[in-house]
Amino acid sequence: MPFQLTEEQEMFRKSLRNFLEEKVAPKAAGIDKSDEFPGDIYKTLSEIGVQAVFFPEEYGGSGGDLLTCCLTTEEICRVSGTMAVLTGPPLSLASAAFRLAGTHEQKTRYLPKLASGEWIYAIAITEPDAGSDVSAIRTTAVLKGDHYILNGTKRFHSIGDQADVTTVYAKTDMSKGTKGISTFIVEKGAPGRIISKKEEMMGIRGIASCEVIFEDCRIPGENLLGKEGDGFKDVMYTLDESRPIVAAMGVGLAQGALDYAVSYAKQRVQFGKPICEFQGIQFMLADMATQIEASRYLVYRAAHIALNRDKESIMLASMAKYFSSDMAMKVTTDAVQVLGGYGYTNDYPVERMMRDAKCFQIFEGTNQIQRVVVARSLLK
């Protein structure tokens, strides 16, 4: 099934790319080096409505469909993996979570501020002993009067120390396994929410990946998102919708690496001619371009049908996520090879891109877990 972007989408992509090349690309290396949250750039993106793309118009967004959200994330990741991680996945997860389970009051309170970029959103699922196995989470939430009391620890909590609002997944009934998991909205400053440490990551630096401890953290009863016991089901739905966004990051990152490798190969002279004239380099570049285009098609296809929430859409979302991120790892590694010794230094962006690509194979469900999802869909 062919995909033809609308004229509006093509114009949006072009204007966004021009903006990102001018405002974000020159700062990408600095973000990686400092490992500090790039709040100024996040604000700059909000000024042109990037965050708004992910949210419905009735709550302050611009109502972009999932394909437009993928295009947005792809273009951002082409110049900065960090800025893509700070925008695409969390905003798509926030939008999906509140659309799926939020009350009108919850949507009215949170979505306009997230869409404007005034507030930052994060999601807290992973724990020291619960990564891919969400059913193993031990964080608890007990209703006492009109408040829930949260206790537990979350790991790899991206943007944890910056988030104004976080959806936290905790067990309201330890005896029911996944059916005992519920979702809670926790705002910055909630009593008993403690940032204990910040991780130093290999790549995607600047996202403030933290450990968060909840010690008798009191949150109002109305901050339950959805129904008690629906948390696991709801987060699986939201992740299915978010995975094409993650896959789009792989496409964007790889495209940025290819663009740089092509430019370098045209300029680098060895044995009296540009290295792009050597067949060995040409074949590498050709394979990189082909792999990117194949991934892009799969991502757009997954985005096109994601909201169907059926067997095919779930399978394609997982396919796109693991195929695209594996592709990004290979393409960025090949880009380093094209640059040779220079590619292995941090003077050139492909080294950073290769480190960033590794993250995409791990977060939002490892690629091994995505293959399990695909296999189960085939064998049902």
Side-chain angles (χ1 to χ4, degrees):
M1 181 180 295
F3 295 99
Q4 182 69 43
L5 299 182
T6 66
E7 184 178 349
E8 183 180 3
Q9 286 172 327
E10 290 285 11
M11 291 176 61
F12 171 73
R13 181 204 284 272
K14 182 178 180 180
S15 62
L16 179 61
R17 177 173 292 193
N18 291 338
F19 176 86
L20 294 169
E21 288 281 4
E22 179 183 351
K23 301 293 186 180
V24 179
K27 298 182 179 180
I31 295 170
D32 180 72
K33 185 175 181 179
S34 70
D35 197 21
E36 296 294 330
F37 174 73
D40 57 333
I41 303 177
Y42 192 87
K43 182 178 180 181
T44 297
L45 292 178
S46 70
E47 292 171 354
I48 64 166
V50 165
Q51 289 87 335
V53 171
F54 296 86
F55 296 95
E57 291 183 22
E58 59 265 39
Y59 295 105
S62 58
D65 61 16
L66 191 55
L67 178 54
T68 301
C69 293
C70 285
L71 291 174
T72 302
T73 306
E74 178 185 337
E75 288 302 320
I76 296 173
C77 206
R78 180 175 167 272
V79 299
S80 172
T82 294
M83 294 314 302
V85 170
L86 290 174
T87 51
L91 296 178
S92 65
L93 287 168
S95 182
F98 280 92
R99 281 189 285 106
L100 178 67
T103 64
H104 176 69
E105 290 74 19
Q106 289 170 338
K107 294 174 184 176
T108 301
R109 171 167 175 74
Y110 296 108
L111 296 190
K113 291 184 178 181
L114 295 174
S116 69
E118 178 184 352
W119 277 11
I120 295 171
Y121 171 85
I123 183 171
I125 304 176
T126 303
E127 298 185 2
D129 296 316
S132 298
D133 183 9
V134 177
S135 66
I137 65 172
R138 297 179 181 177
T139 298
T140 59
V142 178
L143 182 62
K144 291 188 177 181
D146 58 357
H147 280 70
Y148 282 94
I149 310 300
L150 271 63
N151 283 283
T153 301
K154 297 293 184 180
R155 296 293 304 274
F156 303 117
H157 180 25
S158 299
I159 336 176
D161 64 349
Q162 301 293 328
D164 297 283
V165 55
T166 302
T167 49
V168 179
Y169 294 83
K171 283 188 173 175
T172 45
D173 190 331
M174 295 294 288
S175 68
K176 292 185 177 179
T178 58
K179 293 184 178 180
I181 297 174
S182 304
T183 313
F184 299 90
I185 305 167
V186 180
E187 295 185 23
K188 180 184 284 189
R193 177 182 179 270
I194 303 164
I195 305 295
S196 66
K197 75 171 186 176
K198 176 181 170 183
E199 305 286 354
E200 185 170 348
M201 311 295 279
M202 178 175 75
I204 309 294
R205 292 164 59 80
I207 64 170
S209 183
C210 300
E211 179 180 80
V212 182
I213 297 173
F214 298 98
E215 290 186 354
D216 293 330
C217 178
R218 288 173 55 85
I219 62 169
E222 60 264 27
N223 280 25
L224 173 69
L225 183 61
K227 299 177 181 178
E228 277 199 15
D230 280 355
F232 181 81
K233 172 177 65 70
D234 289 349
V235 77
M236 290 299 107
Y237 276 132
T238 60
L239 287 170
D240 286 338
E241 187 171 327
S242 177
R243 282 186 181 123
I245 301 284
V246 177
M249 291 196 300
V251 173
L253 186 69
Q255 187 66 60
L258 174 62
D259 291 347
Y260 198 90
V262 168
S263 176
Y264 180 89
K266 289 178 178 179
Q267 299 174 34
R268 174 65 168 170
V269 175
Q270 291 289 277
F271 304 102
K273 59 183 178 181
I275 63 172
C276 67
E277 295 185 19
F278 292 100
Q279 192 177 67
I281 298 296
Q282 292 175 353
F283 282 7
M284 288 181 69
L285 297 175
D287 285 346
M288 292 159 72
T290 302
Q291 291 154 12
I292 292 169
E293 197 58 34
S295 292
R296 181 176 285 118
Y297 182 93
L298 183 56
V299 171
Y300 291 3
R301 168 69 173 148
H304 183 68
I305 69 167
L307 298 186
N308 292 350
R309 302 194 188 285
D310 57 14
K311 174 182 173 181
E312 183 185 18
S313 66
I314 292 170
M315 182 173 68
L316 280 174
S318 288
M319 283 180 174
K321 193 276 181 181
Y322 84 72
F323 188 84
S324 175
S325 53
D326 283 350
M327 176 277 300
M329 190 74 250
K330 184 178 188 308
V331 167
T332 54
T333 301
D334 285 347
V336 169
Q337 189 70 23
V338 170
L339 269 68
Y342 290 116
Y344 201 63
T345 72
N346 60 17
D347 292 332
Y348 293 81
V350 292
E351 177 266 348
R352 164 174 48 85
M353 291 172 172
M354 186 177 74
R355 286 187 285 107
D356 286 353
K358 188 62 199 174
C359 177
F360 299 164
Q361 294 179 301
I362 299 171
F363 84 145
E364 287 215 28
T366 66
N367 285 2
Q368 287 70 34
I369 289 295
Q370 302 312 314
R371 286 169 166 86
V372 169
V373 172
V374 173
R376 286 177 178 173
S377 295
L378 290 172
L379 297 172
K380 276 185 179 180

